[in-house]
Amino acid sequence: MGARRTAALACALAAVAALGLSGCGTGGDDPVAATPPKHLSGTIQLWHHYSDREASVIQDAVHGFEKLHPDVHVDVHSGQQDTKITQVVASGGDVDVLLTNLNATLGTACKTMSDLAPYMKRDGVSTSQFQDIFARATAFDGRRCSLPTTSDVYGLYYNKTLLARAGMTQPPRTLDQLESMALKLTTYKKDGSIKTLGFDPLVGFQQNTSGTLSAAAGVTWTKNGDSAIATSEPWHRLLAWQRDFVHKIGYDKLKTFSAGLGDEWSADNAFQTGRIAMALDGEWRVAFIQDQAPHLKYGTAPFPVLDGGGRRYGGGFVSAADVGVNKRSNHKEAAWALVKYLTTDTGAAVRIANGIKNIPTLKAAAESPGLQAPAPYRTFIRASADPASSTSPITEIGATLTATLDNYWTSFQQGSGKGLADGLRKVDTDINNALSLRRAK
């Protein structure tokens, strides 16, 4: 759940303000001892974005680490926004280990983080221990800045009862099938307003973003370090498909219906109450349904893909929480030991995944019999390992990359559908300007 919070637009825009601080140079990496210390002691500071119940899960994991190293104490600073963590690190604050969302912060924070590669080589830690997509995503600009902990994986939730009433037995595999089924599943009141919606296509509705939807097509985000959205045909086709879908139901009707729905994180969630038949959501929804709507008959599946878009069915959009060591830390060996424990200890990884209800990135944890994995949840485990899964690229401007496209898309979906090419070129220009400013610092 922590990873998805920082993907929200508000946090993405907040990241813009942090860019000026988070890229300050901090010098080279300190040499790493040839052998690990036989004994660790001292106090280290862990900062992370989890709060409430999820923070207690991280705290329990920390207690497990402290039992292994009784002379090390970990001061935990929970509930810290990712942008604040990167600002504190960049300004020389007392942070030894930082746990954040990689898509939102890694590109902006990497220069302030220690290169973990020498520690990994020395201690026999290999990127092959993790699902490939997360191993790749947690490095940036030639530096192994971090390692992945848990991940968010997105897919399709569908109400079996509503689909069965409409004579449907299988979830859609393509976006055209999704649209066709959704239109048939949508019902209206006498005044023409929506009563039950097959699928809400609005970008900005709950988990519908340029990032999560991008996995449905073989889109290109960047090329040679610059934004390449306007020259990527799948982007044009994806936005055009979504805009036409919105138009067939009616933008105003969808906005009115969406505004009247219950809170996404409460028992009044529209999918859980049957007001929406299908939804794009993350693996955490399985736990919400178990708790808030245990009698709901539903299924999960990979999210449908764009016909001819170059993306094979079976994957989905993924994001992860990553953890690394502050380059300025005075306790790097203890900090690295904590990072290694949180990411590579199978028992710890399983406990964290079970507690936070995210997908473990450690292969051994994903395969562990101790992982609480009901059938709907296993859809997301399989998707996380599927080569068809994708994530938005890690860049120096963090979440500003996707927020820029989100801003345009939410405007585009309201209009006639004209001017898409010019609009996407403007998106490229805005992203490249932000990248240029960032790289000049």
Side-chain angles (χ1 to χ4, degrees):
M1 285 172 60
R4 73 168 182 271
R5 293 192 183 110
T6 53
L9 178 59
C11 291
L13 295 177
V16 178
L19 293 180
L21 288 175
S22 60
C24 305
T26 58
D29 290 282
D30 294 332
V32 175
T35 58
K38 295 181 179 180
H39 179 76
L40 294 172
S41 62
T43 298
I44 56 175
Q45 310 291 325
L46 166 64
W47 288 55
H48 67 74
H49 53 227
Y50 296 104
S51 60
D52 303 325
R53 178 187 59 80
E54 294 174 339
S56 67
V57 174
I58 301 300
Q59 187 65 63
D60 286 344
V62 167
H63 288 327
F65 171 77
E66 290 175 327
K67 288 180 180 179
L68 291 177
H69 304 281
D71 290 329
V72 177
H73 173 69
V74 182
D75 265 345
V76 180
H77 303 258
S78 61
Q80 306 296 319
Q81 286 191 354
D82 285 0
T83 50
K84 178 180 178 181
I85 296 173
T86 57
Q87 287 173 343
V88 172
V89 170
S91 61
D94 191 11
V95 179
D96 296 293
V97 177
L98 54 157
L99 197 166
T100 60
N101 173 264
L102 70 92
N103 296 80
T105 62
L106 185 62
T108 68
C110 186
K111 290 182 180 178
T112 68
M113 300 164 72
S114 293
D115 186 357
L116 301 181
Y119 295 95
M120 294 170 64
K121 182 178 181 180
R122 183 194 69 187
D123 295 355
V125 175
S126 171
T127 55
S128 64
Q129 295 172 242
F130 305 94
Q131 302 288 19
D132 292 344
I133 190 169
F134 303 114
R136 294 194 305 270
T138 45
F140 177 71
D141 201 22
R143 289 173 55 81
R144 170 52 60 185
C145 317
S146 65
L147 287 173
T149 54
T150 61
S151 65
D152 283 331
V153 181
Y154 291 77
L156 183 75
Y157 285 75
Y158 59 97
N159 186 310
K160 290 184 176 181
T161 301
L162 293 180
L163 265 66
R165 286 177 186 171
M168 304 171 187
T169 58
Q170 297 295 324
R173 295 172 65 92
T174 69
L175 293 183
D176 285 346
Q177 291 173 1
L178 171 66
E179 177 184 330
S180 176
M181 291 173 63
L183 293 175
K184 292 177 182 177
L185 288 162
T186 299
T187 62
Y188 298 89
K189 300 177 183 177
K190 290 183 178 180
D191 62 3
S193 62
I194 298 170
K195 181 179 180 181
T196 303
L197 187 59
F199 178 85
D200 196 325
L202 290 178
V203 168
F205 173 74
Q206 295 188 356
Q207 298 300 312
N208 296 356
T209 68
S210 60
T212 56
L213 290 168
S214 68
V219 301
T220 298
W221 285 91
T222 59
K223 185 176 181 180
N224 298 325
D226 292 327
S227 181
I229 294 170
T231 56
S232 173
E233 182 185 357
W235 272 125
H236 291 256
R237 294 183 57 203
L238 183 60
L239 268 76
W241 167 82
Q242 184 268 350
R243 164 59 187 75
D244 288 346
F245 188 175
V246 169
H247 181 72
K248 288 174 182 177
I249 298 175
Y251 175 78
D252 291 337
K253 286 183 179 181
L254 286 168
K255 287 294 290 185
T256 300
F257 177 81
S258 301
L261 296 175
D263 181 76
E264 179 181 2
W265 310 114
S266 75
D268 289 330
N269 174 278
F271 177 76
Q272 294 174 190
T273 58
R275 298 201 66 191
I276 292 180
M278 297 181 288
L280 169 63
D281 215 334
E283 80 291 329
W284 61 81
R285 183 59 54 192
V286 172
F288 275 78
I289 293 172
Q290 285 179 329
D291 180 49
Q292 298 172 345
H295 301 298
L296 180 67
K297 294 181 179 179
Y298 76 103
T300 59
F303 195 73
V305 296
L306 180 69
D307 295 79
R311 181 68 66 190
R312 183 177 59 79
Y313 179 76
F317 180 80
V318 302
S319 181
D322 67 319
V323 58
V325 175
N326 182 1
K327 191 184 288 187
R328 289 192 175 113
S329 171
N330 293 320
H331 309 281
K332 287 191 177 67
E333 287 288 358
W336 158 244
L338 177 59
V339 169
K340 183 169 63 172
Y341 176 78
L342 293 175
T343 58
T344 67
D345 184 281
T346 301
V350 168
R351 288 192 296 274
I352 292 173
N354 285 343
I356 297 179
K357 305 303 181 184
N358 287 167
I359 302 298
T361 59
L362 185 68
K363 292 177 181 178
E367 298 165 359
S368 170
L371 186 67
Q372 298 167 3
Y377 182 84
R378 291 201 173 274
T379 296
F380 301 95
I381 295 178
R382 290 191 294 271
S384 72
D386 195 298
S389 286
S390 64
T391 189
S392 54
I394 310 303
T395 72
E396 298 92 335
I397 58 174
T400 305
L401 175 76
T402 53
T404 304
L405 181 52
D406 284 341
N407 287 342
Y408 170 71
W409 201 337
T410 54
S411 175
F412 172 76
Q413 67 186 352
Q414 303 176 42
S416 65
K418 296 180 180 179
L420 177 58
D422 288 340
L424 292 183
R425 280 193 288 269
K426 178 64 164 54
V427 169
D428 278 347
T429 297
D430 291 344
I431 290 173
N432 288 333
N433 286 341
L435 285 167
S436 295
L437 288 172
R438 176 76 177 111
R439 290 163 181 167
K441 293 185 180 296

